[in-house]
Amino acid sequence: NQPQYAPWPVEAQVVAIYAGIHGWLDKVPVPQVPRFQEELRETLRAEGGVYAAIRDSGDLSDETVAALDEVLKRFVDGLAVQEERGIGG
């Protein structure tokens, strides 16, 4: 969820939807999805190219999808998913 009065830029929304639809969040526990999204946005802001391509073209070209998939693979491979604990700890 984005903050009510601070919406994400369109390119960040596109990436969030893309990641969800294409299974990049499948192994992320639901309570950790906001952290996943925030860290992914930080990664893509630092990388710059994918967000710029989406923003400038208004589209997800094959080249942009390939670059996004590459960034997502590196990101997910490096993400430290925290195991959820039950009531007993």
Side-chain angles (χ1 to χ4, degrees):
N1 285 335
Q2 19 182 350
Q4 182 174 357
Y5 299 107
W8 298 346
V10 170
E11 58 272 19
Q13 293 180 44
V14 168
V15 167
I17 293 167
Y18 179 90
I21 291 173
H22 290 91
W24 292 103
L25 289 159
D26 289 355
K27 294 185 180 179
V28 178
V30 172
Q32 294 180 43
V33 170
R35 180 177 67 90
F36 174 97
Q37 293 292 356
E38 180 59 35
E39 291 179 15
L40 178 60
R41 285 194 312 275
E42 289 175 15
T43 298
L44 287 166
R45 280 192 294 263
E47 182 271 340
V50 171
Y51 274 173
I54 295 169
R55 184 175 46 250
D56 295 345
S57 71
D59 191 22
L60 274 176
S61 69
D62 291 342
E63 288 178 2
T64 303
V65 167
L68 177 55
D69 283 337
E70 184 178 319
V71 171
L72 281 164
K73 178 167 180 13
R74 283 194 319 264
F75 178 77
V76 169
D77 288 349
L79 184 68
V81 174
Q82 300 165 357
E83 293 295 321
E84 291 195 35
R85 297 175 185 233
I87 294 173

PDB file of all heavy atoms in Angstrom, residues 5-19:
ATOM      1  N   TYR A   5      -1.514  10.188   1.096  1.00  0.00           N
ATOM      2  CA  TYR A   5      -1.225  11.522   0.554  1.00  0.00           C
ATOM      3  C   TYR A   5       0.165  11.628  -0.050  1.00  0.00           C
ATOM      4  O   TYR A   5       0.654  12.725  -0.305  1.00  0.00           O
ATOM      5  CB  TYR A   5      -1.433  12.583   1.639  1.00  0.00           C
ATOM      6  CG  TYR A   5      -2.860  12.592   2.133  1.00  0.00           C
ATOM      7  CD1 TYR A   5      -3.199  12.100   3.384  1.00  0.00           C
ATOM      8  CD2 TYR A   5      -3.896  13.046   1.311  1.00  0.00           C
ATOM      9  CE1 TYR A   5      -4.511  12.086   3.823  1.00  0.00           C
ATOM     10  CE2 TYR A   5      -5.214  13.038   1.737  1.00  0.00           C
ATOM     11  CZ  TYR A   5      -5.520  12.563   2.992  1.00  0.00           C
ATOM     12  OH  TYR A   5      -6.817  12.543   3.413  1.00  0.00           O
ATOM     13  N   ALA A   6       0.802  10.494  -0.285  1.00  0.00           N
ATOM     14  CA  ALA A   6       2.126  10.470  -0.906  1.00  0.00           C
ATOM     15  C   ALA A   6       2.195   9.305  -1.887  1.00  0.00           C
ATOM     16  O   ALA A   6       2.901   8.327  -1.655  1.00  0.00           O
ATOM     17  CB  ALA A   6       3.206  10.349   0.166  1.00  0.00           C
ATOM     18  N   PRO A   7       1.443   9.396  -2.983  1.00  0.00           N
ATOM     19  CA  PRO A   7       1.430   8.270  -3.933  1.00  0.00           C
ATOM     20  C   PRO A   7       2.787   8.054  -4.570  1.00  0.00           C
ATOM     21  O   PRO A   7       3.574   8.984  -4.737  1.00  0.00           O
ATOM     22  CB  PRO A   7       0.391   8.697  -4.976  1.00  0.00           C
ATOM     23  CG  PRO A   7       0.326  10.176  -4.883  1.00  0.00           C
ATOM     24  CD  PRO A   7       0.644  10.524  -3.452  1.00  0.00           C
ATOM     25  N   TRP A   8       3.049   6.802  -4.919  1.00  0.00           N
ATOM     26  CA  TRP A   8       4.288   6.462  -5.601  1.00  0.00           C
ATOM     27  C   TRP A   8       4.238   7.008  -7.025  1.00  0.00           C
ATOM     28  O   TRP A   8       3.165   7.104  -7.617  1.00  0.00           O
ATOM     29  CB  TRP A   8       4.458   4.962  -5.679  1.00  0.00           C
ATOM     30  CG  TRP A   8       4.569   4.253  -4.367  1.00  0.00           C
ATOM     31  CD1 TRP A   8       4.800   4.785  -3.137  1.00  0.00           C
ATOM     32  CD2 TRP A   8       4.444   2.845  -4.174  1.00  0.00           C
ATOM     33  NE1 TRP A   8       4.830   3.799  -2.199  1.00  0.00           N
ATOM     34  CE2 TRP A   8       4.616   2.599  -2.803  1.00  0.00           C
ATOM     35  CE3 TRP A   8       4.208   1.786  -5.021  1.00  0.00           C
ATOM     36  CZ2 TRP A   8       4.565   1.327  -2.264  1.00  0.00           C
ATOM     37  CZ3 TRP A   8       4.157   0.514  -4.486  1.00  0.00           C
ATOM     38  CH2 TRP A   8       4.338   0.284  -3.123  1.00  0.00           C
ATOM     39  N   PRO A   9       5.389   7.306  -7.595  1.00  0.00           N
ATOM     40  CA  PRO A   9       5.423   7.672  -9.016  1.00  0.00           C
ATOM     41  C   PRO A   9       4.880   6.517  -9.861  1.00  0.00           C
ATOM     42  O   PRO A   9       4.934   5.354  -9.459  1.00  0.00           O
ATOM     43  CB  PRO A   9       6.906   7.889  -9.305  1.00  0.00           C
ATOM     44  CG  PRO A   9       7.550   8.088  -7.973  1.00  0.00           C
ATOM     45  CD  PRO A   9       6.709   7.337  -6.979  1.00  0.00           C
ATOM     46  N   VAL A  10       4.378   6.835 -11.033  1.00  0.00           N
ATOM     47  CA  VAL A  10       3.779   5.830 -11.909  1.00  0.00           C
ATOM     48  C   VAL A  10       4.736   4.676 -12.165  1.00  0.00           C
ATOM     49  O   VAL A  10       4.345   3.506 -12.123  1.00  0.00           O
ATOM     50  CB  VAL A  10       3.318   6.469 -13.237  1.00  0.00           C
ATOM     51  CG1 VAL A  10       2.917   5.416 -14.244  1.00  0.00           C
ATOM     52  CG2 VAL A  10       2.173   7.426 -12.986  1.00  0.00           C
ATOM     53  N   GLU A  11       6.012   4.987 -12.419  1.00  0.00           N
ATOM     54  CA  GLU A  11       6.965   3.919 -12.723  1.00  0.00           C
ATOM     55  C   GLU A  11       7.129   2.956 -11.544  1.00  0.00           C
ATOM     56  O   GLU A  11       7.299   1.750 -11.734  1.00  0.00           O
ATOM     57  CB  GLU A  11       8.319   4.482 -13.168  1.00  0.00           C
ATOM     58  CG  GLU A  11       9.000   5.388 -12.182  1.00  0.00           C
ATOM     59  CD  GLU A  11       8.621   6.862 -12.282  1.00  0.00           C
ATOM     60  OE1 GLU A  11       7.579   7.199 -12.865  1.00  0.00           O
ATOM     61  OE2 GLU A  11       9.394   7.685 -11.756  1.00  0.00           O
ATOM     62  N   ALA A  12       7.042   3.459 -10.317  1.00  0.00           N
ATOM     63  CA  ALA A  12       7.128   2.598  -9.141  1.00  0.00           C
ATOM     64  C   ALA A  12       5.870   1.726  -9.021  1.00  0.00           C
ATOM     65  O   ALA A  12       5.951   0.554  -8.643  1.00  0.00           O
ATOM     66  CB  ALA A  12       7.326   3.431  -7.884  1.00  0.00           C
ATOM     67  N   GLN A  13       4.724   2.293  -9.361  1.00  0.00           N
ATOM     68  CA  GLN A  13       3.481   1.525  -9.340  1.00  0.00           C
ATOM     69  C   GLN A  13       3.515   0.412 -10.388  1.00  0.00           C
ATOM     70  O   GLN A  13       3.096  -0.715 -10.119  1.00  0.00           O
ATOM     71  CB  GLN A  13       2.290   2.445  -9.595  1.00  0.00           C
ATOM     72  CG  GLN A  13       2.054   3.446  -8.480  1.00  0.00           C
ATOM     73  CD  GLN A  13       0.871   4.346  -8.759  1.00  0.00           C
ATOM     74  OE1 GLN A  13      -0.173   3.873  -9.189  1.00  0.00           O
ATOM     75  NE2 GLN A  13       1.032   5.633  -8.514  1.00  0.00           N
ATOM     76  N   VAL A  14       4.025   0.739 -11.574  1.00  0.00           N
ATOM     77  CA  VAL A  14       4.125  -0.253 -12.650  1.00  0.00           C
ATOM     78  C   VAL A  14       5.001  -1.424 -12.207  1.00  0.00           C
ATOM     79  O   VAL A  14       4.650  -2.589 -12.389  1.00  0.00           O
ATOM     80  CB  VAL A  14       4.672   0.391 -13.945  1.00  0.00           C
ATOM     81  CG1 VAL A  14       5.053  -0.663 -14.975  1.00  0.00           C
ATOM     82  CG2 VAL A  14       3.656   1.367 -14.526  1.00  0.00           C
ATOM     83  N   VAL A  15       6.143  -1.115 -11.604  1.00  0.00           N
ATOM     84  CA  VAL A  15       7.061  -2.168 -11.158  1.00  0.00           C
ATOM     85  C   VAL A  15       6.426  -2.997 -10.049  1.00  0.00           C
ATOM     86  O   VAL A  15       6.543  -4.227 -10.041  1.00  0.00           O
ATOM     87  CB  VAL A  15       8.407  -1.564 -10.708  1.00  0.00           C
ATOM     88  CG1 VAL A  15       9.246  -2.588  -9.955  1.00  0.00           C
ATOM     89  CG2 VAL A  15       9.162  -1.020 -11.902  1.00  0.00           C
ATOM     90  N   ALA A  16       5.729  -2.355  -9.117  1.00  0.00           N
ATOM     91  CA  ALA A  16       5.083  -3.093  -8.022  1.00  0.00           C
ATOM     92  C   ALA A  16       4.051  -4.071  -8.565  1.00  0.00           C
ATOM     93  O   ALA A  16       3.998  -5.240  -8.149  1.00  0.00           O
ATOM     94  CB  ALA A  16       4.433  -2.119  -7.039  1.00  0.00           C
ATOM     95  N   ILE A  17       3.251  -3.620  -9.508  1.00  0.00           N
ATOM     96  CA  ILE A  17       2.235  -4.492 -10.110  1.00  0.00           C
ATOM     97  C   ILE A  17       2.905  -5.608 -10.904  1.00  0.00           C
ATOM     98  O   ILE A  17       2.525  -6.779 -10.800  1.00  0.00           O
ATOM     99  CB  ILE A  17       1.272  -3.671 -10.984  1.00  0.00           C
ATOM    100  CG1 ILE A  17       0.447  -2.738 -10.096  1.00  0.00           C
ATOM    101  CG2 ILE A  17       0.366  -4.582 -11.812  1.00  0.00           C
ATOM    102  CD1 ILE A  17      -0.302  -1.660 -10.855  1.00  0.00           C
ATOM    103  N   TYR A  18       3.914  -5.264 -11.684  1.00  0.00           N
ATOM    104  CA  TYR A  18       4.642  -6.252 -12.482  1.00  0.00           C
ATOM    105  C   TYR A  18       5.233  -7.338 -11.577  1.00  0.00           C
ATOM    106  O   TYR A  18       5.104  -8.535 -11.855  1.00  0.00           O
ATOM    107  CB  TYR A  18       5.747  -5.567 -13.287  1.00  0.00           C
ATOM    108  CG  TYR A  18       6.559  -6.528 -14.113  1.00  0.00           C
ATOM    109  CD1 TYR A  18       6.186  -6.838 -15.408  1.00  0.00           C
ATOM    110  CD2 TYR A  18       7.702  -7.135 -13.594  1.00  0.00           C
ATOM    111  CE1 TYR A  18       6.919  -7.736 -16.174  1.00  0.00           C
ATOM    112  CE2 TYR A  18       8.443  -8.032 -14.343  1.00  0.00           C
ATOM    113  CZ  TYR A  18       8.049  -8.326 -15.637  1.00  0.00           C
ATOM    114  OH  TYR A  18       8.781  -9.221 -16.377  1.00  0.00           O
ATOM    115  N   ALA A  19       5.878  -6.921 -10.495  1.00  0.00           N
ATOM    116  CA  ALA A  19       6.511  -7.890  -9.588  1.00  0.00           C
ATOM    117  C   ALA A  19       5.476  -8.833  -8.989  1.00  0.00           C
ATOM    118  O   ALA A  19       5.713 -10.042  -8.879  1.00  0.00           O
ATOM    119  CB  ALA A  19       7.273  -7.158  -8.481  1.00  0.00           C
TER     120      ALA A  19
END
